[in-house]
Amino acid sequence: MKIQLRFFASVREALGVSQEEVVLPSSIDTVGKVRDFLQQRGGVWAETLSEGRSLRMAYEQQMCGADTVIHDGGEVAFFPPVTGG
Amino acid sequence: MIRVQTEDFDLNAEITALRAGSPQVGAVVSFVGTVRDMNEGASVAAMELEHYPGMTEKALQDIVERARQRWQIVDALVIHRVGPLLPKDQIVLVAVTSAHRGEAFDACEFIIDYLKTEAPFWKKELTPQGARWVDARVTDDVALKKWDVAETQQGEQD
């Protein structure tokens, strides 16, 4: 399955990338598993996406939890808590 | 109506347009958020606002929709600026019209409270110690509690 990844604000800066297309193994079928999968890259990926960090996730441009199921062609985003207004 | 833009806005012009053609309006409440020159004990020389194009507009639309379901309002307008901003600049406008003031006051406060915790915008400040991302405030989550709904930013460990 192929999905689009988007990163924003401090997460984008730490990873040095704002978006990326990634092909996932079939076992990666939730947003939480995408996060785990990306952490396997190690280095800043392991640190920035680690469980202890306050991280927000969105699927198809909607805030979501780790168990949200993803589909081919979907868009998954990771970012820090929002600070607008 | 929702607008995310780099340009400044004119409160009077926006409210005039919002009220145009709506003689049933008896109350207009607006909130304008501006850039402070101090935050968390440091002086702020400039600010940069980032957003998630597409999701930001949807999130704002969703917040306005929830306000409409809860109160009898005539119309609502949210304008949020992005890009570089300086102290004293206007950041955000929320304006609500209704027949009577109670609905407009409540809906306006509800929209800005939700915007602060759910709409994907991020502020980066330039201080004498360098650039830093602004941390989300616990008080913003507390502000939501008065609306008696459980929804806040979904996340794991905080």
Side-chain angles (χ1 to χ4, degrees):
Chain A
M1 158 161 70
K2 194 190 282 181
I3 62 162
Q4 301 294 325
L5 295 172
R6 308 285 303 269
F7 306 103
F8 293 93
S10 54
V11 173
R12 170 180 58 74
E13 277 191 353
L15 299 177
V17 56
S18 60
Q19 58 185 334
E20 170 183 356
E21 188 172 81
V22 67
V23 177
L24 301 170
S26 57
S27 60
I28 310 297
D29 57 3
T30 66
V31 172
K33 287 180 187 172
V34 172
R35 177 181 181 170
D36 297 342
F37 175 78
L38 293 172
Q39 275 193 64
Q40 304 297 316
R41 291 175 172 177
V44 291
W45 292 86
E47 190 188 331
T48 307
L49 303 176
S50 75
E51 292 298 319
R53 294 294 274 273
S54 184
L55 190 73
R56 298 291 180 260
M57 299 173 280
Y59 182 60
E60 300 296 44
Q61 305 193 344
Q62 195 121 38
M63 293 260 203
C64 71
D67 50 6
T68 300
V69 174
I70 58 170
H71 301 282
D72 190 48
E75 182 172 297
V76 174
F78 296 97
F79 44 80
V82 305
T83 55
Chain B
M1 201 199 332
I2 304 297
R3 289 197 339 246
V4 178
Q5 62 188 40
T6 52
E7 312 85 66
D8 197 8
F9 52 83
D10 179 332
L11 176 62
N12 201 43
E14 298 298 343
I15 285 181
T16 300
L18 191 67
R19 296 173 56 206
S22 300
Q24 73 274 40
V25 168
V28 182
V29 171
S30 64
F31 169 83
V32 176
T34 58
V35 181
R36 277 191 311 273
D37 66 353
M38 282 291 287
N39 191 33
E40 309 265 326
S43 62
V44 175
M47 178 180 281
E48 180 87 24
L49 256 149
E50 179 171 334
H51 77 302
Y52 183 167
M55 179 173 168
T56 303
E57 291 82 355
K58 279 190 224 173
L60 294 174
Q61 198 64 59
D62 182 55
I63 293 164
V64 167
E65 198 46 49
R66 269 185 277 170
R68 282 184 180 285
Q69 284 167 12
R70 196 158 167 167
W71 291 281
Q72 289 281 327
I73 62 174
V74 174
D75 216 343
L77 168 69
V78 179
I79 300 176
H80 204 299
R81 295 178 69 192
V82 292
L85 293 171
L86 296 170
K88 299 195 292 176
D89 279 353
Q90 303 188 110
I91 306 176
V92 61
L93 166 65
V94 177
V96 177
T97 57
S98 62
H100 303 286
R101 70 184 183 285
E103 287 85 357
F105 271 121
D106 285 351
C108 184
E109 191 174 14
F110 174 91
I111 291 170
I112 188 65
D113 282 352
Y114 265 82
L115 182 155
K116 282 198 159 276
T117 55
E118 289 197 359
F121 291 102
W122 300 274
K123 288 177 181 149
K124 190 178 194 179
E125 295 171 337
L126 187 62
T127 74
Q129 289 76 43
R132 65 179 189 190
W133 290 98
V134 174
D135 278 333
R137 285 170 182 271
V138 176
T139 51
D140 287 337
D141 283 334
V142 171
L144 274 192
K145 293 213 167 76
K146 70 171 165 287
W147 302 113
D148 198 27
V149 266
E151 296 165 87
T152 56
Q153 296 192 25
Q154 292 189 51
E156 290 164 17
Q157 289 83 2
D158 260 340

